[in-house]
Amino acid sequence: MEQYLFIDFEFTMPEGKGKPEGFYQEIIEVGFVSVIDDKLGDQFSSFVVPNKFSHLTERCKRFLHISQSQVNQGISFAELVILLQSYDQKCPTKIVTWGNMDMKVLRNNCQKAGVEFPFTGEQIDLSMEYKRFFGDQNQTGLWKAVQAYGKEGTGRHHRALDDAMTTYNIYKLVEKDKSYMKNHQPTTIGDRIDLSKVLNKLVL
């Protein structure tokens, strides 16, 4: 049994370029989708109360379309870590995110809170896999990547569960392409031409 956890977090933001003293990004929303042996399992979504800077900036509320009251009713960061640990302990688990910020911020938040990082398995940055596979010069945004496939993102961009589900959908598309490339051998000249007929003509 193998589990993939497709995760997205949304974070706090400072108001402008100048950050308040000691400011660091904190998780304020989590969304994840679990896939066990290629079967879609649990879907989870919740707001998360930040430990240090509990009051959201206007910029953060505007950008994420999140209200202070929604975040105030969320789970605590400690509860989030315990929940993620419970999934990690179920079976060998790979974590898939779009970009490396989600795991960076989670790791930093764990250090600040003095709790153990909840994941023990491989962490996959799907945006880098996508970049390598398509040979892009720059990293592509999540929704731009899914639109490149002629698809639309799930739900609303910058909502954690919707972005997690969109990440899962892109993962399936990329894996399908990889599988096709691996199994599709280039055609040789022998496949295109019946060489015995050519040789017969040369002999004649």
Side-chain angles (χ1 to χ4, degrees), residues 61-131:
K61 288 187 280 190
R62 250 190 341 264
F63 185 78
L64 297 177
H65 303 288
I66 288 177
S67 71
Q68 185 69 52
S69 61
Q70 283 176 305
V71 169
N72 291 348
Q73 291 165 32
I75 61 176
S76 70
F77 180 70
E79 287 173 311
L80 170 64
V81 171
I82 289 166
L83 176 67
L84 296 178
Q85 278 174 339
S86 72
Y87 276 85
D88 187 69
Q89 289 163 4
K90 272 185 186 178
C91 60
T93 300
K94 292 181 179 179
I95 309 303
V96 185
T97 57
W98 188 267
N100 62 6
M101 278 302 292
D102 297 274
M103 290 301 106
K104 269 188 179 175
V105 173
L106 176 60
R107 199 176 287 281
N108 184 50
N109 285 187
C110 287
Q111 286 171 349
K112 298 284 188 186
V115 296
E116 198 174 326
F117 186 72
F119 298 125
T120 55
E122 183 185 355
Q123 292 152 43
I124 299 165
D125 175 356
L126 186 58
S127 73
M128 290 303 291
E129 297 257 325
Y130 181 95
K131 181 183 172 184

Side-chain angles (χ1 to χ4, degrees), residues 120-148:
T120 55
E122 183 185 355
Q123 292 152 43
I124 299 165
D125 175 356
L126 186 58
S127 73
M128 290 303 291
E129 297 257 325
Y130 181 95
K131 181 183 172 184
R132 279 194 294 268
F133 184 70
F134 289 103
D136 289 353
Q137 291 297 311
N138 303 310
Q139 273 181 274
T140 307
L142 173 62
W143 282 43
K144 189 179 171 189
V146 84
Q147 284 163 359

Side-chain angles (χ1 to χ4, degrees), residues 145-161:
V146 84
Q147 284 163 359
Y149 270 106
K151 311 277 185 185
E152 287 299 321
T154 302
R156 243 171 58 193
H157 195 15
H158 294 306
R159 291 316 298 263
L161 182 57

Side-chain angles (χ1 to χ4, degrees), residues 2-7 33 35 37-39 94-98 122-127 129-130 133-134 142 145-146 149 151 163-179:
E2 184 178 50
Q3 176 174 233
Y4 283 77
L5 218 54
F6 296 85
I7 296 184
V33 177
V35 177
D37 295 337
D38 296 327
K39 288 183 182 171
K94 292 181 179 179
I95 309 303
V96 185
T97 57
W98 188 267
E122 183 185 355
Q123 292 152 43
I124 299 165
D125 175 356
L126 186 58
S127 73
E129 297 257 325
Y130 181 95
F133 184 70
F134 289 103
L142 173 62
V146 84
Y149 270 106
K151 311 277 185 185
D163 283 357
M165 185 60 82
T166 300
T167 302
Y168 169 51
N169 289 336
I170 291 190
Y171 177 83
K172 287 189 292 182
L173 292 166
V174 171
E175 287 302 304
K176 189 178 174 184
D177 276 354
K178 278 186 188 171
S179 172

